[in-house]
Structures are given as structure tokens and as C-alpha cells.
Amino acid sequence: MKGSKLAAEALKRAGLNVIFGIPGLSNMPLYDAFVEYVTSGDIRVILMRHEQGAAHAADGYARASGKPAVCTGTSGPGALNLVTGLATAYWDSSPVIAITGQVPRSSMGKLSFQEADIPGVVASITKFVVQVRNAEELPKWIKTATYIATTGRPGPVVIDVPRDLFNEDVDEARINWFNGFQIKGYREFQELVDPIMVKKAVELLVEAEKPLMLVGAGAMWSPAVEEIVTLSEMLRMPIVSTFLGKSAVPNDYPLYLGMMGYYGRAEANKAFMDSDVVLVVGARLSDRTIPNVRDVLDTKKKLILINIDPTDIYKHSSYLPVEAYMVTDVRKGLRMLVDAIRKVGLKKDRSQWLKRVVEYREYYAQFYYRDDGKGLKPWKVLKTIRDALPRDAIVTTGVGSHQMWTGVFWESYLPRTFISSGGMGTMGFGLPAAIGAKVAKPDKVVVDLDGDGSFIMTMNNLGTAVDENIPIIAVVFDNRTLGLVRQVQDMFFNKRIIAVDIGPATDFVKLAEGFGAIGFDAQSYEDLEVALKKAMKENVASVIRVPIARDEKALPTLPPGGSFREMIVYEPGANS
């Protein structure tokens, strides 16, 4: 059996039956082996238009399904084009597996055609990387990759395969399909739940005057929706989320205040500032969630952390007031707290605390939902889209102002239905991620909420959606500028606007039609609703252009490095 056939069979046995990628010289033998598997329906091969799109598509597939997904590229530029997508998956803890072709072993280290040290390049942006040295080890490393990518904190894994291994003959009698996981160089995080810590966490939560729960992406991966809501109701404890934690709790749950952080909802940030005890559930507390640590230290709040990754806990404990922690899966940790608190009972009247956070929500609503009748407003565009889509629709986003608008205004109701690039902030993520999500969940409506600048970066993958009959819908917020960059230049660089405005050259409707998709130009909220319904009915790849004024700001925001005390909730001089 050829090494290429061995790899294809191993992918099939591991359940990795969708491959997003582009063939080239060094991974061509693998694609040749796919022919029979594609013909039999065991493997689906999807040709993306750029390897970055392949990595994002695999990422979207993984986040929508909760299962690992595969992308591939040839040696040199093909593999290097995966790098941005791998970094995106690493920062957001997504189980992407990349199989990269490599030059033959005899050509390594000789500056050979399309040679690149892929293990060296990706070592710091992946959970694990291996360069296979013997063809008979291919099943071992493919099976191992699925294990590493999904255990503990999920993350991307790279398998770099020299081309000659694909062409090597392997004695079938020597093939070990590998069922064990003692892997040199990889060790799982050990669970650490100290009963004394659990007791202390329970005491802090029960005695708190103003407790708050902050849920992150780990709560979505777990998932722990039932446990989150149960604990919130038991303690009458409001909930805020990180950007990627939005879909960890139904956004219409009465005690959910929204996303907090640099571009978070003002009421969520205010509740965080006022709280005395914060239960942090599956969140890594990045500088986008807590931009200024003084907001924690000066308010003398106490933190309780539940995280499957102990490195996050130990890191935060070095500079934040962490009073108790649990190194375990979020769902398991929350169940321990729920069981313990049931025995203790609620001791505090939290009616005044809940009244205060409700007042915050009502107060700040006057600044969010403004409409001067001049053009389409982002909040109202998102409400129109939300009302037109089924409750279980999956939404992806690009990166920019539109992403911050979705963070504040989009309502996500179910886990794995809000997919975006958080830690890396990768423009171009939305469209290919939507393709991957739709392949993972073909029965769900999948919509890419994108910005013009972000969409342009990976729009070539629209051709994949059409050719492969993947009926995603892209709604492009077209303000003819790199909006978030322009906003920072406008507000914090003395209005010195440079290199951000996009000219009239790109017609998104014609672009869509040029790729064979349907294009719509929504000049009103009614146009948008009609376009969405038609796109869903036609069930083909579609692009809906929505014109947005260039000076529309993504608010609330903070000054660079600012505190929640400095929130900018509305633009001075804006009409109410």
C-alpha cells in the first residue's frame, strides 16, 4: 500500500471525511489517493481558492460541529498560506488539523524548490506539530492529531509530510492503526479540583452582595448552557460574556447583559465594575475583555476561575486577585458548584443588585437605538436580519466595525451559532468560515455578516460556494472604508484619516453575479428582509449589499489602553 493510500484510509477511519484545501506538487499523491474515496462518498474534497480560506473553512466547520476538521496545502507557499488561519484557530481554541506537503527527505535543507521549514514556522501558533519521518507512522499521527486537537483546551495540529512518504510502499502487515496515546512531547493537563477551593468559591458566591458570572469560549466548547443558567437562577447572578462567549448562553435570557470589554455593551462593563465577586467561566481574560487591570484591582473584586487550561489560571493569579480556582471542564466545575450551593442555600437578597443592572440596561438603550432617518443603521440592520432568520441560524463574521456591531447587537440563542475571529482579529475570516459551517451543518441557515474591507480579502472563495453548491448568505456592510481603523484615526489620531477609504471600484452585486451567485442591493430594511427570504428560498450562494454611512461608529468603545471608567457610549454631537 502506498503511503498516500494509507493516509487517506487513516483519515477515513478517524472520521475526518471533509478536506478543505488546494493540491500541489507535494500533496498531489494524497489527492490522487482521494479519488476512490471521493467516488465512494467516504471523503469529500472541497477546492478552496486560497489556502488561508481552507484553514478558515476548516475552522468554521470545527466551531459549528464541535469536531476536528482538516485543511491541506502543498509545500512552501501552500503551507505558508495556511499560517494565518492556523494562528486564528490557535488563539480561539479551535481543533483544526492541517496536513501539509513537504519536499522529499533527500531534498531537505538544500533550499529546494518550494521548501519551507513548516514545523519551525508554526511551532508557536499550534498546539502540536510533527514532521512524519516514516510512511508507516501516518495512521498513528493522523489519529494522534484528532486526539491532541480535541483534548483539554482544543487547538490546531499540523502534520508535515515529505512527498516521498506518500509515494513509499508500506508493508500492510506492518501497519499499526494505533489505539494508544502515550505521545512523546505531549502531555494532557491534569484536572485539579481542591475541595477547599470549591468550598471557598461557594462561600464567596453565597456571601457576595453583587456577584457576576463572566462566560467565555470555553463555556461554549463544553458546552455548559444548562449549568450556567441554573447557577445564575440559583444565585440571582447576572451574566456577561466575552465576545466569543456570546453563544454560551441564550442572549434573550433575562439575566444576560451582553458582551463586555473594549467594544462591549456599557451595561455589561458597568455591571463588571460594580460587582464584588466575579465567577469567570472558560474565559482567558484577554486585553479585549479586560483592557485595564486597574479596573479589577481598584474595585477590589474577587475572582473565581474555572478553566480547563491551568496555564491561564496560574498566569492570572500572578497579577489578579484570584481567590479560588478549579482546573477542570467548565460543565463539570459548574455542576460541582451547583450541587454544593444547593446544600448551603442562598443567603443574600439580591433584588437591589438585579434592579441596578436592569436600570443600566434601560438607561444605555437610549444611546444604542438611535435612528435619525438618514441611511440604514447597523443596529436596525442586524435586528432586521435576526427577525428574518430561524432561531438556530449560524452566523459568522469578518473583522471590523461590523464585527463590533454584531458583538453588541446580535442575539445568539444556541451554542455554536456565533462564529468569529476573536484573539487574532483576522480580516477575511467570515466568508470561508461560513462555507465550513454550512458544510458541517447543511440543514442550518448560515449567514456571513461581513464588512466590505474584510469580505474583499477572501471573496474569491465565493467561487467555491457556488461550484460546490454550498448555499451560504453573505451580508456585506458596505461603508467604503476600513471602518474600525478609520474610527481610531478619527477619534484618537486627531482625525488624520489615511489609507482606509475604499473607492467606488467594487460593485458587490456584480461581483456576486460574476461568481455565479445571486446579488442583492438592499437600499432599505424592507429590501433587506425580501433579499434574505429570497436567498433562503432559492438556497444558493448569495451576497446582499447593505449601504452604511462611512462615519457610523462602533460604540461603545474605550480610548487605547483606557479604563471602563472612560467608556465612550455615544458620539459627541450626535442627534438623538
Side-chain angles (χ1 to χ4, degrees):
M1 180 185 290
K2 293 285 188 185
S4 56
K5 173 72 180 292
L6 187 58
E9 180 65 23
L11 288 167
K12 173 191 169 183
R13 294 192 183 200
L16 302 170
N17 56 1
V18 179
I19 316 295
F20 301 94
I22 299 177
L25 179 62
S26 290
N27 65 347
M28 200 176 300
L30 178 61
Y31 271 81
D32 181 68
F34 285 151
V35 172
E36 284 75 25
Y37 290 87
V38 170
T39 302
S40 64
D42 291 320
I43 288 179
R44 183 178 183 184
V45 174
I46 297 176
L47 174 63
M48 302 299 290
R49 299 303 186 259
H50 188 280
E51 288 87 355
Q52 180 182 341
H56 292 330
D59 194 345
Y61 185 105
R63 298 198 209 191
S65 67
K67 301 175 183 178
V70 178
C71 59
T72 183
T74 191
S75 60
L80 291 170
N81 281 342
L82 293 170
V83 166
T84 300
L86 292 171
T88 301
Y90 184 62
W91 257 247
D92 292 349
S93 305
S94 186
V96 171
I97 297 172
I99 300 176
T100 55
Q102 183 56 273
V103 299
R105 287 171 291 181
S106 61
S107 299
M108 288 183 180
K110 300 176 181 177
L111 294 179
S112 302
F113 176 68
Q114 292 193 332
E115 180 184 5
D117 178 13
I118 296 306
V121 169
V122 305
S124 64
I125 57 166
T126 56
K127 190 174 179 184
F128 194 86
V129 56
V130 61
Q131 188 173 77
V132 184
R133 306 303 295 198
N134 297 292
E136 63 189 47
E137 291 186 344
L138 284 165
K140 164 188 166 180
W141 287 116
I142 288 171
K143 185 75 177 291
T144 299
T146 66
Y147 177 76
I148 294 176
T150 55
T151 54
R153 182 177 185 159
V157 175
V158 172
I159 306 171
D160 194 47
V161 186
R163 183 171 81 242
D164 56 313
L165 295 192
F166 285 135
N167 294 319
E168 189 174 291
D169 287 313
V170 180
D171 183 353
E172 295 189 38
R174 295 181 57 187
I175 296 173
N176 178 4
W177 292 104
F178 189 66
N179 294 313
F181 289 103
Q182 289 190 352
I183 307 152
K184 187 176 181 180
Y186 176 74
R187 185 174 65 181
E188 288 185 63
F189 292 135
Q190 297 299 306
E191 183 179 273
L192 178 59
V193 180
D194 185 341
I196 296 175
M197 285 284 190
V198 176
K199 183 174 183 291
K200 187 172 184 180
V202 169
E203 290 173 350
L204 286 169
L205 290 169
V206 170
E207 296 295 335
E209 298 285 345
K210 296 170 288 186
L212 186 73
M213 191 188 315
L214 167 58
V215 298
M220 181 278 295
W221 279 105
S222 194
V225 175
E226 181 181 343
E227 291 76 14
I228 289 168
V229 171
T230 297
L231 188 58
S232 170
E233 290 179 344
M234 286 176 66
L235 294 174
R236 307 306 294 155
M237 177 167 54
I239 301 171
V240 297
S241 75
T242 66
F243 176 67
L244 293 181
K246 272 178 65 70
S247 67
V249 59
N251 290 184
D252 56 353
Y253 175 60
L255 294 183
Y256 177 67
L257 300 177
M259 173 186 86
M260 66 169 282
Y262 200 101
Y263 287 95
R265 293 185 74 99
E267 60 266 39
N269 290 343
K270 283 286 289 182
F272 179 80
M273 290 294 286
D274 288 353
S275 64
D276 55 0
V277 174
V278 181
L279 174 61
V280 182
V281 180
R284 60 186 179 87
L285 301 182
S286 76
D287 57 337
R288 294 302 254 189
T289 300
I290 302 179
N292 192 321
V293 295
R294 298 307 314 177
D295 288 341
V296 178
L297 301 177
D298 293 348
T299 54
K300 301 188 186 318
K301 59 180 85 279
K302 299 174 181 179
L303 303 182
I304 304 166
L305 308 185
I306 304 177
N307 201 310
I308 202 166
D309 185 346
T311 62
D312 270 347
I313 291 174
Y314 302 148
K315 175 181 64 179
H316 298 322
S317 298
S318 69
Y319 64 93
L320 291 174
V322 177
E323 299 289 327
Y325 61 82
M326 302 164 70
V327 181
T328 186
D329 174 72
V330 163
R331 182 191 293 178
K332 186 175 181 179
L334 287 173
R335 284 178 177 173
M336 291 181 187
L337 292 181
V338 167
D339 291 342
I341 290 170
R342 279 195 177 123
K343 296 175 183 176
V344 175
L346 181 62
K347 297 181 180 180
K348 293 285 184 179
D349 176 11
R350 304 244 166 83
S351 57
Q352 289 303 309
W353 172 227
L354 295 182
K355 180 182 177 183
R356 182 187 300 183
V357 297
V358 169
E359 287 173 349
Y360 284 153
R361 181 157 51 195
E362 293 173 348
Y363 172 75
Y364 287 111
Q366 66 179 306
F367 303 112
Y368 298 148
Y369 306 109
R370 297 180 171 211
D371 189 353
D372 56 8
K374 299 176 182 177
L376 304 183
K377 301 302 175 185
W379 70 266
K380 202 165 184 177
V381 168
L382 290 168
K383 184 178 187 307
T384 301
I385 297 169
R386 178 71 273 184
D387 290 346
L389 299 184
R391 187 176 176 86
D392 63 354
I394 297 171
V395 159
T396 67
T397 85
V399 169
S401 296
H402 68 281
Q403 182 192 33
M404 299 302 101
W405 292 324
T406 61
V408 172
F409 299 119
W410 184 257
E411 291 200 336
S412 175
Y413 302 128
L414 298 170
R416 306 195 183 285
T417 59
F418 183 76
I419 299 171
S420 188
S421 170
M424 189 53 61
T426 306
M427 291 181 70
F429 177 81
L431 179 65
I435 289 172
K438 184 66 176 179
V439 173
K441 296 291 181 179
D443 58 328
K444 306 297 184 187
V445 174
V446 178
V447 177
D448 166 32
L449 300 175
D450 224 325
D452 47 3
S454 189
F455 182 76
I456 287 170
M457 287 195 172
T458 55
M459 66 184 179
N460 51 355
N461 293 290
L462 191 59
T464 294
V466 173
D467 289 348
E468 294 283 343
N469 192 27
I470 304 170
I472 50 94
I473 302 169
V475 179
V476 179
F477 288 65
D478 183 6
N479 58 2
R480 296 287 143 170
T481 191
L482 304 180
L484 213 53
V485 183
R486 191 181 208 278
Q487 174 173 316
V488 174
Q489 290 178 349
D490 181 26
M491 297 177 70
F492 307 114
F493 282 79
N494 212 20
K495 298 186 181 298
R496 292 165 64 86
I497 308 300
I498 183 172
V500 290
D501 290 340
I502 300 169
T506 305
D507 184 323
F508 290 102
V509 175
K510 289 182 179 178
L511 184 148
E513 293 170 349
F515 277 111
I518 300 178
F520 302 90
D521 191 7
Q523 292 293 321
S524 66
Y525 304 113
E526 293 76 16
D527 287 350
L528 176 57
E529 182 180 3
V530 169
L532 284 164
K533 289 180 177 178
K534 185 171 182 181
M536 287 187 284
K537 182 180 178 181
E538 295 293 331
N539 202 34
V540 297
S542 306
V543 176
I544 304 172
R545 173 193 176 258
V546 180
I548 300 291
R550 182 171 283 175
D551 59 356
E552 282 286 347
K553 298 291 193 295
L555 301 173
T557 190
L558 304 178
S563 159
F564 288 142
R565 301 179 182 90
E566 303 171 273
M567 279 191 299
I568 303 169
V569 182
Y570 62 93
E571 193 172 3
N575 297 324
S576 57

CSV table of all heavy atoms in Angstrom, one decimal, residues 508-541:
chain,number,residue,atom,x,y,z
A,508,PHE,N,-20.5,45.0,-5.4
A,508,PHE,CA,-20.7,43.7,-4.8
A,508,PHE,C,-21.8,42.9,-5.4
A,508,PHE,O,-21.7,41.7,-5.4
A,508,PHE,CB,-21.0,43.9,-3.3
A,508,PHE,CG,-19.8,44.4,-2.5
A,508,PHE,CD1,-19.6,45.7,-2.1
A,508,PHE,CD2,-18.7,43.5,-2.2
A,508,PHE,CE1,-18.5,46.2,-1.4
A,508,PHE,CE2,-17.6,43.9,-1.5
A,508,PHE,CZ,-17.5,45.3,-1.1
A,509,VAL,N,-22.8,43.5,-6.0
A,509,VAL,CA,-23.8,42.8,-6.7
A,509,VAL,C,-23.2,42.1,-8.0
A,509,VAL,O,-23.4,40.9,-8.2
A,509,VAL,CB,-25.0,43.7,-7.0
A,509,VAL,CG1,-26.0,42.9,-7.9
A,509,VAL,CG2,-25.6,44.2,-5.7
A,510,LYS,N,-22.5,42.9,-8.7
A,510,LYS,CA,-21.9,42.4,-10.0
A,510,LYS,C,-20.8,41.3,-9.6
A,510,LYS,O,-20.7,40.3,-10.4
A,510,LYS,CB,-21.3,43.5,-10.8
A,510,LYS,CG,-22.4,44.4,-11.5
A,510,LYS,CD,-21.8,45.5,-12.3
A,510,LYS,CE,-22.8,46.3,-13.0
A,510,LYS,NZ,-22.2,47.4,-13.8
A,511,LEU,N,-20.1,41.6,-8.6
A,511,LEU,CA,-19.1,40.6,-8.1
A,511,LEU,C,-19.8,39.3,-7.8
A,511,LEU,O,-19.3,38.2,-8.3
A,511,LEU,CB,-18.4,41.2,-6.9
A,511,LEU,CG,-17.2,40.4,-6.3
A,511,LEU,CD1,-16.2,41.3,-5.7
A,511,LEU,CD2,-17.7,39.4,-5.3
A,512,ALA,N,-20.9,39.3,-7.1
A,512,ALA,CA,-21.6,38.1,-6.8
A,512,ALA,C,-22.0,37.4,-8.0
A,512,ALA,O,-21.8,36.2,-8.2
A,512,ALA,CB,-22.8,38.4,-5.9
A,513,GLU,N,-22.6,38.1,-8.9
A,513,GLU,CA,-23.1,37.5,-10.2
A,513,GLU,C,-21.9,37.0,-11.0
A,513,GLU,O,-22.1,36.0,-11.7
A,513,GLU,CB,-23.9,38.6,-11.0
A,513,GLU,CG,-25.2,39.0,-10.3
A,513,GLU,CD,-25.9,40.2,-10.9
A,513,GLU,OE1,-25.2,40.9,-11.7
A,513,GLU,OE2,-27.0,40.5,-10.5
A,514,GLY,N,-20.8,37.7,-11.0
A,514,GLY,CA,-19.6,37.2,-11.7
A,514,GLY,C,-19.1,35.8,-11.2
A,514,GLY,O,-18.6,35.0,-12.0
A,515,PHE,N,-19.4,35.6,-9.9
A,515,PHE,CA,-19.0,34.2,-9.4
A,515,PHE,C,-20.1,33.2,-9.6
A,515,PHE,O,-20.0,32.1,-9.2
A,515,PHE,CB,-18.7,34.4,-7.9
A,515,PHE,CG,-17.3,34.8,-7.6
A,515,PHE,CD1,-17.0,36.1,-7.1
A,515,PHE,CD2,-16.2,34.0,-7.9
A,515,PHE,CE1,-15.7,36.5,-6.8
A,515,PHE,CE2,-14.9,34.4,-7.6
A,515,PHE,CZ,-14.6,35.6,-7.1
A,516,GLY,N,-21.3,33.7,-10.1
A,516,GLY,CA,-22.4,32.7,-10.3
A,516,GLY,C,-23.3,32.7,-9.1
A,516,GLY,O,-24.3,31.9,-9.0
A,517,ALA,N,-23.2,33.6,-8.1
A,517,ALA,CA,-24.1,33.7,-7.0
A,517,ALA,C,-25.2,34.7,-7.3
A,517,ALA,O,-25.1,35.4,-8.4
A,517,ALA,CB,-23.3,34.2,-5.7
A,518,ILE,N,-26.1,34.9,-6.4
A,518,ILE,CA,-27.2,35.9,-6.6
A,518,ILE,C,-26.7,37.1,-5.8
A,518,ILE,O,-26.2,37.0,-4.7
A,518,ILE,CB,-28.5,35.4,-6.0
A,518,ILE,CG1,-29.0,34.1,-6.7
A,518,ILE,CG2,-29.6,36.5,-6.1
A,518,ILE,CD1,-30.3,33.6,-6.2
A,519,GLY,N,-26.9,38.3,-6.4
A,519,GLY,CA,-26.6,39.5,-5.7
A,519,GLY,C,-27.8,40.4,-5.5
A,519,GLY,O,-28.7,40.5,-6.3
A,520,PHE,N,-27.8,41.0,-4.3
A,520,PHE,CA,-28.9,41.9,-4.0
A,520,PHE,C,-28.3,43.2,-3.5
A,520,PHE,O,-27.3,43.3,-2.8
A,520,PHE,CB,-29.8,41.3,-2.8
A,520,PHE,CG,-30.4,40.0,-3.1
A,520,PHE,CD1,-29.7,38.8,-2.8
A,520,PHE,CD2,-31.7,39.9,-3.7
A,520,PHE,CE1,-30.3,37.6,-3.0
A,520,PHE,CE2,-32.2,38.7,-3.9
A,520,PHE,CZ,-31.5,37.5,-3.6
A,521,ASP,N,-29.0,44.3,-3.8
A,521,ASP,CA,-28.6,45.7,-3.3
A,521,ASP,C,-29.8,46.2,-2.4
A,521,ASP,O,-30.8,46.6,-2.9
A,521,ASP,CB,-28.4,46.6,-4.5
A,521,ASP,CG,-27.7,47.9,-4.0
A,521,ASP,OD1,-27.4,48.0,-2.8
A,521,ASP,OD2,-27.6,48.8,-4.9
A,522,ALA,N,-29.6,46.0,-1.1
A,522,ALA,CA,-30.7,46.4,-0.2
A,522,ALA,C,-30.6,47.9,0.2
A,522,ALA,O,-29.7,48.3,1.0
A,522,ALA,CB,-30.6,45.5,1.1
A,523,GLN,N,-31.5,48.7,-0.3
A,523,GLN,CA,-31.5,50.1,-0.1
A,523,GLN,C,-32.4,50.5,1.1
A,523,GLN,O,-32.4,51.6,1.5
A,523,GLN,CB,-31.9,50.9,-1.3
A,523,GLN,CG,-30.9,50.8,-2.5
A,523,GLN,CD,-29.6,51.5,-2.2
A,523,GLN,OE1,-29.6,52.6,-1.5
A,523,GLN,NE2,-28.5,50.9,-2.6
A,524,SER,N,-33.1,49.5,1.6
A,524,SER,CA,-34.0,49.8,2.8
A,524,SER,C,-34.0,48.5,3.6
A,524,SER,O,-33.6,47.4,3.2
A,524,SER,CB,-35.4,50.1,2.3
A,524,SER,OG,-36.0,49.0,1.6
A,525,TYR,N,-34.6,48.6,4.8
A,525,TYR,CA,-34.8,47.5,5.7
A,525,TYR,C,-35.7,46.5,5.0
A,525,TYR,O,-35.6,45.3,5.1
A,525,TYR,CB,-35.3,47.9,7.0
A,525,TYR,CG,-34.4,48.9,7.7
A,525,TYR,CD1,-34.9,50.2,8.0
A,525,TYR,CD2,-33.2,48.6,8.2
A,525,TYR,CE1,-34.1,51.1,8.6
A,525,TYR,CE2,-32.3,49.5,8.8
A,525,TYR,CZ,-32.8,50.8,9.0
A,525,TYR,OH,-32.0,51.7,9.6
A,526,GLU,N,-36.7,47.0,4.3
A,526,GLU,CA,-37.7,46.1,3.6
A,526,GLU,C,-37.0,45.3,2.5
A,526,GLU,O,-37.2,44.1,2.3
A,526,GLU,CB,-38.8,46.9,3.0
A,526,GLU,CG,-39.7,47.6,4.0
A,526,GLU,CD,-39.1,48.8,4.7
A,526,GLU,OE1,-38.1,49.4,4.2
A,526,GLU,OE2,-39.7,49.2,5.8
A,527,ASP,N,-36.1,46.0,1.7
A,527,ASP,CA,-35.3,45.3,0.7
A,527,ASP,C,-34.4,44.2,1.3
A,527,ASP,O,-34.3,43.1,0.8
A,527,ASP,CB,-34.3,46.3,0.0
A,527,ASP,CG,-35.0,47.3,-0.9
A,527,ASP,OD1,-36.2,47.1,-1.2
A,527,ASP,OD2,-34.3,48.2,-1.3
A,528,LEU,N,-33.9,44.5,2.5
A,528,LEU,CA,-33.0,43.5,3.2
A,528,LEU,C,-33.8,42.3,3.6
A,528,LEU,O,-33.4,41.1,3.3
A,528,LEU,CB,-32.4,44.1,4.4
A,528,LEU,CG,-31.5,43.2,5.3
A,528,LEU,CD1,-30.4,42.6,4.5
A,528,LEU,CD2,-31.0,44.0,6.5
A,529,GLU,N,-35.0,42.5,4.1
A,529,GLU,CA,-35.9,41.4,4.5
A,529,GLU,C,-36.3,40.5,3.3
A,529,GLU,O,-36.2,39.3,3.3
A,529,GLU,CB,-37.1,41.9,5.2
A,529,GLU,CG,-38.0,40.8,5.7
A,529,GLU,CD,-39.3,41.4,6.4
A,529,GLU,OE1,-39.4,42.6,6.5
A,529,GLU,OE2,-40.1,40.6,6.9
A,530,VAL,N,-36.6,41.2,2.2
A,530,VAL,CA,-37.0,40.5,1.0
A,530,VAL,C,-35.9,39.7,0.4
A,530,VAL,O,-36.0,38.5,0.0
A,530,VAL,CB,-37.5,41.5,-0.1
A,530,VAL,CG1,-37.7,40.8,-1.4
A,530,VAL,CG2,-38.9,42.1,0.4
A,531,ALA,N,-34.7,40.3,0.4
A,531,ALA,CA,-33.5,39.6,-0.1
A,531,ALA,C,-33.1,38.4,0.7
A,531,ALA,O,-32.8,37.3,0.2
A,531,ALA,CB,-32.3,40.6,-0.1
A,532,LEU,N,-33.2,38.5,2.0
A,532,LEU,CA,-32.9,37.4,2.9
A,532,LEU,C,-33.9,36.2,2.6
A,532,LEU,O,-33.5,35.1,2.5
A,532,LEU,CB,-33.0,37.8,4.4
A,532,LEU,CG,-31.8,38.6,4.9
A,532,LEU,CD1,-32.1,39.3,6.2
A,532,LEU,CD2,-30.6,37.7,5.1
A,533,LYS,N,-35.2,36.5,2.6
A,533,LYS,CA,-36.2,35.5,2.3
A,533,LYS,C,-36.0,34.8,1.0
A,533,LYS,O,-36.1,33.6,0.8
A,533,LYS,CB,-37.6,36.1,2.5
A,533,LYS,CG,-37.9,36.5,3.9
A,533,LYS,CD,-39.3,37.0,4.0
A,533,LYS,CE,-39.7,37.3,5.5
A,533,LYS,NZ,-41.0,38.0,5.7
A,534,LYS,N,-35.6,35.6,0.0
A,534,LYS,CA,-35.4,35.1,-1.4
A,534,LYS,C,-34.2,34.2,-1.4
A,534,LYS,O,-34.2,33.1,-2.0
A,534,LYS,CB,-35.3,36.2,-2.4
A,534,LYS,CG,-35.2,35.6,-3.8
A,534,LYS,CD,-35.3,36.7,-4.9
A,534,LYS,CE,-35.2,36.1,-6.3
A,534,LYS,NZ,-35.3,37.1,-7.3
A,535,ALA,N,-33.1,34.7,-0.7
A,535,ALA,CA,-31.9,33.9,-0.7
A,535,ALA,C,-32.1,32.6,0.0
A,535,ALA,O,-31.6,31.5,-0.4
A,535,ALA,CB,-30.8,34.7,0.1
A,536,MET,N,-32.9,32.6,1.1
A,536,MET,CA,-33.1,31.3,1.8
A,536,MET,C,-34.0,30.4,1.0
A,536,MET,O,-33.8,29.2,0.9
A,536,MET,CB,-33.8,31.6,3.2
A,536,MET,CG,-32.9,32.1,4.2
A,536,MET,SD,-33.6,32.3,5.9
A,536,MET,CE,-34.6,33.8,5.6
A,537,LYS,N,-35.0,31.0,0.2
A,537,LYS,CA,-35.9,30.2,-0.6
A,537,LYS,C,-35.1,29.6,-1.8
A,537,LYS,O,-35.3,28.4,-2.1
A,537,LYS,CB,-37.0,31.0,-1.1
A,537,LYS,CG,-38.0,30.3,-1.9
A,537,LYS,CD,-39.2,31.2,-2.4
A,537,LYS,CE,-40.1,30.4,-3.3
A,537,LYS,NZ,-41.2,31.3,-3.8
A,538,GLU,N,-34.3,30.4,-2.4
A,538,GLU,CA,-33.5,29.9,-3.6
A,538,GLU,C,-32.5,28.9,-3.2
A,538,GLU,O,-32.1,28.0,-4.0
A,538,GLU,CB,-32.9,31.1,-4.3
A,538,GLU,CG,-33.9,32.1,-5.0
A,538,GLU,CD,-34.7,31.4,-6.1
A,538,GLU,OE1,-34.1,30.5,-6.8
A,538,GLU,OE2,-35.8,31.9,-6.3
A,539,ASN,N,-32.0,29.0,-2.0
A,539,ASN,CA,-31.0,28.1,-1.4
A,539,ASN,C,-29.7,28.0,-2.3
A,539,ASN,O,-29.2,26.9,-2.5
A,539,ASN,CB,-31.6,26.7,-1.2
A,539,ASN,CG,-30.9,25.8,-0.2
A,539,ASN,OD1,-30.3,26.4,0.8
A,539,ASN,ND2,-30.8,24.5,-0.4
A,540,VAL,N,-29.2,29.1,-2.7
A,540,VAL,CA,-28.0,29.2,-3.4
A,540,VAL,C,-27.1,30.3,-2.8
A,540,VAL,O,-27.6,31.1,-2.0
A,540,VAL,CB,-28.2,29.5,-4.9
A,540,VAL,CG1,-29.0,28.4,-5.6
A,540,VAL,CG2,-28.9,30.9,-5.1
A,541,ALA,N,-25.8,30.2,-3.1
A,541,ALA,CA,-24.9,31.2,-2.5
A,541,ALA,C,-25.4,32.6,-2.9
A,541,ALA,O,-25.7,32.9,-4.1
A,541,ALA,CB,-23.5,31.0,-3.1
